[in-house]
Amino acid sequence: MFEIHKETIEWGGRELTLETGKVARQADGAVLATYGETTVLATAVGVKNVKPGADFFPLTVNYQEKYFAAGKIPGGFFKREGRPTEKETLTSRLIDRPIRPLFPKGFKNEVQVMITVLSHDMENDPDIVGMVGASAALCISGLPFMGPIGAARVGYKDGDYILNPLCDEMEESDLDLVVAGTGDAVMMVESEAKELSEDIMLGAVMFGHEHFQPVIDAIIRLAEKSAKEPWDFAPEDHSDIEAQVRKLVEKDLRAAYKIMDKSERSAAVSAAKDKAKEALGESEDNPEGVPGVVLGDVLKSVESSIVRGDIIKTGKRIDGRKLDEVRTIVAEAGILPRTHGSALFTRGETQGLVVATLGTGEDEQFIDALTGTYKERFMLHYNFPPYSVGETSFRLAPGRREIGHGKLAWRAVKAVLPEAEDFPYTIRLVSEITESNGSSSMATVCGSSLALMDAGVPISRPVSGIAMGLIKDPDGVAVLSDILGDEDHLGDMDFKVAGTTEGVTSLQMDIKIAGITEDIMKTALEQAKGGRMHILDKMNEALGTAREEVGEYAPRIETITIPTDKIRDVIGTGGKVIREIVETTGAKVDVNDDGVIKVASSDAKSIKAALDWIKGLTAEPEVGEIYKGKVVKVMDFGAFVNFFGPKDGLVHVSQMKNERVAHPKDVVGEGDEVFVKLMGFDDRGKVRLSMKVVDQETGEEIKKEAVDEEEE
C-alpha cells in the first residue's frame, strides 16, 4: 500500500531521518523529518493555474505547533490551538525567507508550505527540523524549486562553535544563530549574540553552512528516489517589450532617480510609469497592448538595471550619498512628559518614536510554549502605521512583518539589559514608526536604547543598528551602508547588524542571489561596524548613559529575600495576609517561589510600611535585643507579650520588677504597651522575656550595676 523512501544520517550527534510515501500522500510533496525524537510533517502544494492579474509570487509558509507533541492540552476555554503564537509566526518567516528566492523569476502560481510539529523531545528545537523538512518536501514535489536548502543552529561557548545545541545548552551559549542556504551559498541568517566580534559572527555563519552540507546531500538522495515529475515551467521572454519601454521612458526614469527627495522622486517615477502604461498598456482603446502585470514586471526590471548600474558605475546612491555614508541623524531623549522613558530617533526619512514603560512582577508576560509555561520580563512591540509611508490601509492586528521586526530589535537590545536581581522591573518598549524609508527595525533598536536610558534602566552599554545592502553585477560589487527602501527592493542583500562598542548583539541577513562569498560578507560586516560606531556617537550626543533614577512617574521597587518556609506567613491563609498588607499600605507586593519579594509603589512611605510589615512577619527575634510589645494575656505566673510580629513571649512575674510582685495584674493589664528584652529560649524553645532590665519610660536597657543597687 505504501511506497516508503527514507534517508538517515548522523548529524550533530543525533540521527536525522527524512521519510516520504506514508503520510499525506495527496500533497505534491510530504516529508516526515525526525531529529532525535522531535518529528515534524512538512508538506508542499502548488496550484497548477495562475490567478488572472497575479503580480507577485503567492507563497505561504505556515509553521504550527500541536500541543499533543509535548503531551500537553492547550489552555483556555476552547482547549484547542488558536491563532499563531509569536514563535509560530517567527518560525514561519524563518522558513519563508531562504526558500522564496529559490523559485524562478516570473513564477506566480500559488504555493503553500505547511510544517506541523507532531512530536517534541524537549531537546531539539523543531524550527530547524521544520526548515529541513520543508526543503525536502519542495524538492520532491515537482515544483520549480531551485533547492534544496539546508539549515543549522550554531551556538558558541568557551571559544568553540556548537552545532545544533540542545535546548538546555542554549541557556549557557553566547550565541543563538540560525543559518540556511544552498550547497554553495548562504541565503538567510538570524541571530542573537552577547556582544561577539564580527569575526566570530562570520565564523559562525560559515561553520553552519559547512555543517549542513550532509543534510543537503541527504535531501538530494531522497529526491532521486521519490521526486515527482517536474512542472513544465519556463519564464516568458519579454525582451522586446523591455526594449520598447527603454526607448520610451528610460531617460525619464534616469532623471527621476537623480531626485534626492523621496516624495518628489516617487512622483517622477510614477509619472514615467504612467507614460509607459498609456503608450504600451492594454486598454479599451488598445486591446492588443501589453497586459498590466507584464508591463509592471518589465518596468521594475528597467528600474532595477538603471539604479544598480548607476551605483556600480558612479559609486553614488539614489540620494547622492557615498556607498558607506549614513544619512543625517537626529537623536532626542525624554520628549514625552508623562511617560517613564521616551526617545525620537530620526535617520534621513526614517523615524521611530520609542516609549519605555516600567512595571512590576504583575506585568510580566506569561508565555505558554511546548517546552512549558514561563514568564517574560522584557517586551518590545513594533508598529508600522500606514501614514509612515504616506498611505492608507485597514488596520488589523500586527502582521508577520511587524512581529518579525519587533523580535529583531528585542534580540538586539536584550543583551545589554540588567539582571532582574539588579533591576527588578518588568520592561515594555513600544516603537511607533512615524516615517519610513529604509530599515525602521534598526531605527527601533537605536530609539529603544535611548528610551531605556531615559527611563533610568541601567543598560550595560548603548546599542545601535544599521541596515546594509549589496549590488552584485558582472560590472562589479557595491556594499551600501544605511540602505533606502528602493535600494532594499532592487538590491541583492538585506543585511542588518546591531551591537555595542564591544560587539554584535544581533545579525539578520537575507540574500536574494547565489554567489555571496565570505569575503563580501566580511566587507559588509566591517563597513557596518563603521556605520554603527558613527550612529552611536550621534546617540551619545543626546544621552550617553542611563539616568541615575527611574522616571518621576515610574513605580519604585525594592526587594527583600525571606526564607522560603516563611512565604506562607506573608501570604496567609487564602491570601488574607498579603491582601491586608496591600490594602493597608497601598503598595504592590509580589512574592516569588524562591523567597524574593518585590514591593512597588510611587510613594516611598508605602514601600517602607510594607517592607516593615513583611520583616515583622518573617524576621527572627535576636537574643539581647529590646522590643516594644503589647500585653495580650495576664496569668497568675506572668504575662504574655506580643513583641515581634505574630510572636508572643512570657514575662515571668519574677522578671516584671526589681522587687517582689504579688500578682502580675498589679503591674500590667491586657492591652498595655511595655518594653521587653529577649533573654533567650528555654529547653522547649519557649521565649523568655524580661521587663525589669528595661527602663519602661525610655525603652533603654538598665545597666547591671543599677539593677544590683536597687536589689540591695
Side-chain angles (χ1 to χ4, degrees):
M1 182 176 180
F2 301 117
E3 187 178 350
I4 299 172
H5 300 283
K6 185 184 294 188
E7 284 293 326
T8 300
I9 62 170
E10 189 76 15
W11 188 43
R14 280 91 77 197
E15 272 194 357
L16 172 69
T17 300
L18 303 175
E19 178 187 305
T20 187
K22 186 174 184 179
V23 179
R25 290 173 295 162
Q26 294 186 48
D28 290 329
V31 171
L32 275 174
T34 302
Y35 192 45
E37 292 184 342
T38 293
T39 300
V40 304
L41 171 63
T43 62
V45 175
V47 177
K48 293 289 186 181
N49 300 315
V50 180
K51 286 185 179 179
D55 58 354
F56 65 97
F57 171 37
L59 169 67
T60 304
V61 177
N62 295 111
Y63 167 90
Q64 50 193 356
E65 295 179 336
K66 298 299 184 181
Y67 276 71
F68 60 69
K72 295 175 62 179
I73 295 175
F77 184 79
F78 293 103
K79 296 298 179 185
R80 69 177 298 163
E81 292 81 2
R83 66 179 184 181
T85 63
E86 183 182 75
K87 168 69 184 293
E88 289 173 317
T89 299
L90 292 171
T91 305
S92 296
R93 281 173 52 86
L94 198 70
I95 297 171
D96 182 300
R97 285 158 48 195
I99 65 176
R100 184 177 292 272
L102 294 177
F103 282 87
K105 185 177 180 181
F107 183 72
K108 295 175 181 175
N109 298 61
E110 184 175 356
V111 175
Q112 186 175 46
V113 178
M114 297 189 69
I115 304 99
T116 306
V117 181
L118 303 179
S119 176
H120 187 13
D121 60 10
M122 306 297 174
E123 290 187 336
N124 298 285
D125 197 312
D127 55 2
I128 296 297
V129 192
M131 199 175 303
V132 171
S135 171
L138 285 167
C139 284
I140 67 173
S141 67
L143 289 162
F145 175 65
M146 298 179 290
I149 63 163
R153 172 170 272 106
V154 180
Y156 184 77
K157 183 181 178 183
D158 299 330
D160 294 321
Y161 295 116
I162 308 168
L163 177 64
N164 295 334
L166 301 175
C167 293
D168 290 343
E169 291 177 314
M170 286 307 303
E171 296 176 5
E172 303 297 326
S173 177
D174 292 331
L175 173 68
D176 181 1
L177 181 142
V178 175
V179 56
T182 62
D184 54 7
V186 172
M187 302 299 297
M188 185 277 300
V189 177
E190 185 77 42
S191 67
E192 176 184 340
K194 296 179 181 177
E195 296 181 285
L196 299 178
S197 71
E198 281 76 6
D199 286 343
I200 291 175
M201 296 298 292
L202 180 57
V205 173
M206 304 316 297
F207 176 87
H209 183 260
E210 176 188 348
H211 283 82
F212 65 57
Q213 298 306 313
V215 176
I216 290 177
D217 294 339
I219 295 173
I220 292 172
R221 290 195 299 271
L222 182 71
E224 287 173 345
K225 295 184 289 186
S226 60
K228 295 181 179 178
E229 285 297 317
W231 285 26
D232 184 15
F233 172 80
E236 297 179 10
D237 181 10
H238 300 307
S239 56
D240 290 345
I241 300 172
E242 183 172 331
Q244 295 178 58
V245 168
R246 285 186 178 277
K247 184 177 179 180
L248 188 66
V249 296
E250 182 174 359
K251 289 183 180 179
D252 295 338
L253 286 172
R254 287 191 181 278
Y257 276 108
K258 293 187 185 302
I259 300 173
M260 295 186 186
D261 180 77
K262 178 187 175 182
S263 298
E264 293 180 18
R265 182 172 63 250
S266 297
V269 170
S270 294
K273 289 181 178 179
D274 290 342
K275 180 180 176 181
K277 291 174 184 176
E278 186 176 347
L280 304 175
E282 186 180 43
S283 65
E284 290 183 5
D285 296 333
N286 184 20
E288 301 299 321
V290 181
V293 172
V294 174
L295 188 56
D297 287 345
V298 171
L299 280 166
K300 184 177 180 180
S301 177
V302 173
E303 280 184 89
S304 178
S305 66
I306 290 172
V307 173
R308 294 163 62 91
D310 285 352
I311 290 175
I312 293 289
K313 290 172 186 175
T314 67
K316 287 284 185 76
R317 317 265 291 277
I318 294 173
D319 57 359
R321 283 182 293 147
K322 297 176 182 177
L323 299 183
D324 61 351
E325 187 178 348
V326 178
R327 288 171 288 176
T328 302
I329 292 171
V330 178
E332 303 167 79
I335 65 166
L336 298 177
R338 298 281 301 191
T339 58
H340 299 167
S342 61
L344 185 69
F345 181 84
T346 308
R347 186 191 61 242
E349 296 168 305
T350 297
Q351 184 180 75
L353 172 64
V354 185
V355 179
T357 306
L358 305 181
T360 66
E362 293 180 356
D363 299 309
E364 291 181 336
Q365 182 181 15
F366 281 85
I367 298 177
D368 193 15
L370 284 185
T371 52
T373 301
Y374 64 96
K375 293 195 289 187
E376 178 57 63
R377 62 181 283 263
F378 173 48
M379 295 157 277
L380 194 154
H381 298 137
Y382 165 103
N383 298 310
F384 191 89
Y387 66 75
S388 66
V389 288
E391 296 177 356
T392 62
S393 71
F394 185 68
R395 293 291 289 160
L396 294 171
R400 286 185 172 188
R401 178 182 177 276
E402 288 174 295
I403 293 171
H405 278 37
K407 193 65 175 181
L408 173 59
W410 181 92
R411 292 188 178 107
V413 174
K414 185 186 176 187
V416 300
L417 291 179
E419 296 293 333
E421 294 77 14
D422 302 321
F423 192 75
Y425 286 88
T426 298
I427 302 168
R428 183 189 184 221
L429 290 168
V430 177
S431 174
E432 298 287 337
I433 300 305
T434 50
E435 295 181 35
S436 181
N437 183 15
S439 193
S440 53
S441 62
M442 294 298 97
T444 295
V445 171
C446 300
S448 294
S449 181
L450 291 167
L452 286 169
M453 292 190 290
D454 184 51
V457 180
I459 62 175
S460 57
R461 276 170 289 276
V463 183
S464 69
I466 189 169
M468 309 295 292
L470 176 76
I471 293 174
K472 185 175 184 290
D473 276 348
D475 295 332
V477 176
V479 176
L480 313 179
S481 296
D482 180 24
I483 55 174
L484 301 172
D486 287 337
E487 292 170 338
D488 185 7
H489 299 318
L490 303 176
D492 298 322
M493 179 177 72
D494 181 14
F495 189 58
K496 298 183 176 76
V497 191
T500 68
T501 54
E502 301 302 306
V504 175
T505 57
S506 185
L507 169 64
Q508 184 186 83
M509 181 166 58
D510 290 300
I511 297 172
K512 304 168 189 176
I513 61 170
I516 303 297
T517 65
E518 183 178 356
D519 287 341
I520 291 175
M521 284 191 282
K522 184 177 179 66
T523 299
L525 276 168
E526 290 175 353
Q527 191 168 313
K529 184 177 182 180
R532 283 197 299 108
M533 296 304 110
H534 169 74
I535 295 169
L536 274 175
D537 289 341
K538 295 296 182 182
M539 291 168 57
N540 288 337
E541 292 176 7
L543 187 62
T545 58
R547 303 198 191 279
E548 293 185 1
E549 295 186 354
V550 296
E552 177 184 355
Y553 300 102
R556 267 57 178 173
I557 299 180
E558 293 191 25
T559 61
I560 183 174
T561 303
I562 64 171
T564 53
D565 60 354
K566 298 290 184 181
I567 292 176
R568 61 178 179 272
D569 296 331
V570 177
I571 296 176
T573 305
K576 178 181 178 182
V577 175
I578 196 169
R579 282 198 302 271
E580 185 180 1
I581 296 173
V582 172
E583 291 169 3
T584 304
T585 66
K588 287 184 178 181
V589 180
D590 181 53
V591 183
N592 293 339
D593 294 339
D594 57 1
V596 175
I597 298 179
K598 299 176 186 176
V599 181
S601 174
S602 56
D603 183 359
K605 291 182 180 178
S606 294
I607 293 178
K608 185 178 185 304
L611 286 174
D612 290 344
W613 195 325
I614 293 167
K615 289 175 182 176
L617 292 170
T618 60
E620 294 291 341
E622 297 182 20
V623 175
E625 291 293 315
I626 294 173
Y627 300 95
K628 187 175 183 179
K630 182 181 287 187
V631 178
V632 293
K633 194 170 186 180
V634 180
M635 308 292 287
D636 292 340
F637 50 84
F640 286 98
V641 177
N642 175 228
F643 71 101
F644 191 88
K647 293 188 178 297
D648 296 344
L650 174 66
V651 180
H652 192 268
V653 65
S654 64
Q655 293 294 319
M656 288 185 167
K657 280 196 169 187
N658 292 315
E659 57 192 50
R660 188 177 180 280
V661 176
H663 195 280
K665 287 184 179 179
D666 297 337
V667 182
V668 296
E670 290 186 10
D672 289 350
E673 291 188 341
V674 296
F675 290 104
V676 295
K677 179 179 179 180
L678 176 57
M679 306 302 291
F681 305 88
D682 63 19
D683 296 339
R684 295 176 297 169
K686 300 293 185 181
V687 176
R688 292 190 294 108
L689 303 174
S690 175
M691 290 171 53
K692 71 179 184 179
V693 297
V694 185
D695 186 324
Q696 294 300 312
E697 295 292 331
T698 65
E700 295 181 1
E701 185 175 4
I702 301 172
K703 300 299 182 184
K704 188 174 186 303
E705 296 79 7
V707 174
D708 292 342
E709 288 175 6
E710 288 183 18
E711 289 179 346
E712 291 175 0

